[in-house]
Amino acid sequence: MRQVACSGREAPTPILDQAPAPKHSRRFSDHCYDSATRMTSGRSSRPSRRERDLTWDEITGTLPTEEVAPLATGPREHLALVALVGEHGRPWIAVTSATVIGRGDDCELRLDDAAISRRHARIFRDGATWFVEDLQSQNGTFVDAERLRAPRALVDGARLQIGRGTVFRVSLQDALEHDASRRMHESALTDPLTGLYNRRHLDRRLAEELAFARRHRTVLTLMLLDVDHFKRINDRYGHLAGDAVLRVLAKLIQTVVRTEDLVARYGGEEIAVIARGIDRVGAHLFAERLRKRIATTEMPWAGEVLRVTASIGVAVVDGAIEVPALTDFVGAADDALYAAKDAGRNRSVVAE
């Protein structure tokens, strides 16, 4: 047994014989503690680190925890299609029940591709297994480059080709993975403030809808809505109030449009609506109904009630006329929006 000298005049405290640790191996906290001890007249009541064993939680400052059981994964029976080739606006598609794939309006998964039949293929489930079958399509359905002659079981990672130019990767996931993939997909397509579709998805869908209208000679409407004097709201009540107004308008517009219509944030305080099958007269009535709903909506904020109005520009593609290019179509709606602003705001104008 040997003794180590301590500060003060008290008797030294014996410890077990051991080789002295190199100075460079001492921790910074040990130096701090020894310095504080030398500054006091008596020995501190803090026990020496060498007098007991420290747990890893004490060293790192973390709290001890109970043993954690792994999360249950469950069966990998949730099906999703991940787009590899083909422009149809949805890079990730969840399949929850029997689904017919084709370019017909009655298909659960509609793909606007001339090389795809109106009712091209069907995905269905038998027990815990998912199958795909070809519905006598002209250009065929393929799984891992093999054309289907009979229903084929789908396995995780398989390549599903519909027609000539649309290819999906089959993804079979458990509930945890499926939910995480769904959230990632939604965040890639939606605007975080309003919950509406974002500009990227809007541009893609608008290009597809124009191609569909050109091919099938159908009617397509685009509305651009802009909140009047939105800067005044931000300047008077703050940007949080402006954000609240946009969120309320987003929810309001979604209650007015039809299920098949698409609503997206175009940019800033502008919101776009894509609607199929509405002619010029119907589109004007639609825009006016939306405008009036906005003008009569009260929005409580910080003890006050906010009211806003909106101007709406409308462009319509008639099946009897030539379908314009995407930039020209958007430009027509934008010009109509500015015409509504110039005419005094809080009104809708349909482009000629």
Side-chain angles (χ1 to χ4, degrees):
M1 191 78 68
R2 65 184 179 86
Q3 295 180 340
V4 177
C6 297
S7 62
R9 298 186 179 182
E10 295 183 1
T13 303
I15 63 174
L16 296 177
D17 287 331
Q18 56 184 352
K23 291 184 178 181
H24 64 269
S25 67
R26 300 184 68 200
R27 298 192 180 190
F28 177 73
S29 58
D30 289 334
H31 288 281
C32 294
Y33 175 20
D34 290 345
S35 299
T37 303
R38 286 193 295 270
M39 294 174 64
T40 60
S41 58
R43 187 176 189 275
S44 172
S45 60
R46 174 181 173 182
S48 171
R49 292 192 177 191
R50 296 180 178 86
E51 294 177 2
R52 62 185 177 89
D53 293 332
L54 298 180
T55 65
W56 178 253
D57 289 329
E58 290 176 311
I59 296 173
T60 60
T62 58
L63 296 176
T65 58
E66 298 179 357
E67 184 177 353
V68 179
L71 294 175
T73 57
R76 302 176 68 86
E77 58 184 10
H78 297 270
L79 174 63
L81 301 178
V82 182
L84 301 180
V85 180
E87 291 292 334
H88 47 79
R90 288 172 290 177
W92 185 88
I93 303 169
V95 180
T96 59
S97 59
T99 300
V100 175
I101 304 173
R103 57 184 176 87
D105 291 335
D106 58 339
C107 294
E108 288 81 11
L109 177 51
R110 188 179 67 82
L111 303 178
D112 185 23
D113 186 342
I116 294 177
S117 301
R118 293 186 179 277
R119 292 175 60 87
H120 194 103
R122 184 173 78 102
I123 295 176
F124 62 96
R125 183 173 178 176
D126 186 3
T129 305
W130 288 94
F131 292 85
V132 61
E133 65 176 346
D134 185 75
L135 299 180
Q136 299 180 345
S137 64
Q138 180 177 355
N139 293 316
T141 303
F142 303 80
V143 174
D144 290 334
E146 182 178 344
R147 185 162 185 165
L148 295 185
R149 306 296 179 185
R152 173 79 63 86
L154 292 173
V155 298
D156 187 45
R159 298 285 180 90
L160 173 62
Q161 179 178 333
I162 307 297
R164 298 176 183 173
T166 299
V167 181
F168 298 98
R169 177 175 61 82
V170 175
S171 177
L172 291 172
Q173 303 172 316
D174 60 35
L176 193 64
E177 293 174 325
H178 191 75
D179 186 59
S181 297
R182 177 186 57 79
R183 292 195 304 268
M184 290 178 60
H185 167 67
E186 291 176 352
S187 65
L189 298 182
T190 56
D191 171 62
L193 175 64
T194 62
L196 301 175
Y197 285 114
N198 58 25
R199 175 66 181 273
R200 180 180 181 183
H201 184 66
L202 170 68
D203 291 343
R204 181 182 296 175
R205 278 294 303 274
L206 187 57
E208 294 174 354
E209 293 296 336
L210 280 173
F212 184 89
R214 185 177 295 108
R215 184 177 301 113
H216 302 283
R217 293 292 182 181
T218 56
V219 180
L220 182 66
T221 295
L222 172 65
M223 295 191 298
L224 292 182
L225 178 151
D226 184 83
V227 181
D228 296 327
H229 302 298
F230 186 73
K231 187 177 183 299
R232 294 181 183 178
I233 298 175
N234 287 333
D235 292 343
R236 180 176 179 181
Y237 300 100
H239 287 83
L240 292 180
D243 291 346
V245 168
L246 292 178
R247 284 194 292 266
V248 171
L249 288 183
K251 293 180 180 179
L252 174 64
I253 294 171
Q254 289 176 308
T255 64
V256 176
V257 301
R258 305 169 300 176
T259 303
E260 62 269 27
D261 298 332
L262 182 140
V263 185
R265 187 178 182 186
Y266 187 71
E269 65 273 20
E270 293 183 337
I271 295 175
V273 179
I274 301 175
R276 276 186 176 186
I278 303 178
D279 59 16
R280 292 175 56 84
V281 176
H284 193 201
L285 293 175
F286 189 8
E288 279 295 292
R289 184 167 68 251
L290 181 58
R291 181 190 64 81
K292 292 176 182 178
R293 283 288 303 275
I294 293 173
T296 57
T297 298
E298 296 182 345
M299 308 176 192
W301 178 261
E304 298 189 42
V305 176
L306 304 182
R307 295 180 178 86
V308 299
T309 61
S311 301
I312 305 176
V314 184
V316 180
V317 170
D318 192 336
I321 63 175
E322 183 179 355
V323 177
L326 188 149
T327 54
D328 295 335
F329 189 43
V330 175
D334 200 40
D335 290 343
L337 173 60
Y338 277 97
K341 294 282 189 182
D342 293 340
R345 295 183 171 84
N346 190 25
R347 65 194 64 216
S348 60
V349 173
V350 181
E352 296 296 335

